[in-house]
Amino acid sequence: MANREAIRELQTRLASRLRTARDEGLSVSWLAVTAGGRNYLFPLAQSGEIFPIGGVQSVPFAVPWFLGVVNLRGGLFGVVDVAGLMSDVTGSPPPSPRAPVSGSRPVVTLNTALDVNCALLVDTLAGLRNPQVFGGSLPPEPDAPAFFGNRFADAQGQPWQEINLQILSQHPRFLSITAQAHS
């Protein structure tokens, strides 16, 4: 229960910081998250709300990274494990054993303008980021999925991968959740 409260407090702080940034004209571009030991940047304009996860109903015959569906504010959302999806799409080794889906892990919904009821399960929220906190950017690797944007490194040298959620929401692998399609 304390984890749910911590996520709610973080969500409130992030929403407040975002309002302040908009009011003061500050450049805030991304919601920074971690999943499967990797760092990702979700464009704020393409991100929706943040929720603690709970009550996921599994869906039979789905790929392992599609965890099921959940009711968020009266809407039905598909829940996608970001680490598992990235492993599947990029062909990288699967993430180490995952923590169980619980209220301690947040989901980030896609912006309603993308017209896809999807919640992305991440391990942690790392806050808001603007381009100034990074030392520069590199283009995606040549063999990277189409939804990979630029790559960044923070002041500590940690790599961050930008994910274009609009392109992701239309990616064929993302849209095909049946396990038989990838066998």
Side-chain angles (χ1 to χ4, degrees):
M1 195 63 155
N3 286 332
R4 283 182 180 250
E5 290 301 317
I7 290 173
R8 285 187 188 137
E9 288 175 23
L10 178 59
Q11 180 181 2
T12 302
R13 285 194 315 270
L14 286 173
S16 174
R17 285 183 57 199
L18 183 56
R19 278 192 300 277
T20 301
R22 286 182 186 151
D23 294 345
E24 295 176 4
L26 299 175
S27 173
V28 175
S29 299
W30 301 288
L31 174 63
V33 302
T34 64
R38 295 189 175 98
N39 302 318
Y40 298 104
L41 299 168
F42 295 163
L44 285 179
Q46 299 170 1
S47 302
E49 294 184 77
I50 300 166
F51 294 93
I53 190 65
V56 177
Q57 299 298 309
S58 64
V59 175
F61 308 112
V63 291
W65 50 260
F66 187 80
L67 302 178
V69 294
V70 67
N71 180 337
L72 300 173
R73 292 191 198 230
L76 192 60
F77 287 76
V79 179
V80 170
D81 177 26
V82 171
L85 172 65
M86 294 304 169
S87 174
D88 183 35
V89 171
T90 63
S92 62
S96 57
R98 309 287 291 144
V101 176
S102 68
S104 65
R105 293 179 58 200
V107 291
V108 178
T109 63
L110 299 183
N111 189 302
T112 56
L114 299 180
D115 203 26
V116 177
N117 283 6
C118 179
L120 302 173
L121 180 70
V122 299
D123 294 335
T124 60
L125 300 170
L128 301 175
R129 298 289 190 276
N130 63 44
Q132 292 77 25
V133 302
F134 299 106
S137 67
L138 294 171
E141 295 286 341
D143 59 343
F147 55 84
F148 271 30
N150 288 330
R151 297 173 292 147
F152 299 87
D154 61 21
Q156 292 76 35
Q158 293 295 313
W160 291 85
Q161 176 64 61
E162 181 180 28
I163 302 295
N164 183 314
L165 298 177
Q166 182 174 12
I167 295 172
L168 172 65
S169 73
Q170 300 305 311
H171 192 275
R173 197 73 154 259
F174 181 83
L175 295 172
S176 179
I177 62 165
T178 56
Q180 296 86 357
H182 307 297
S183 300

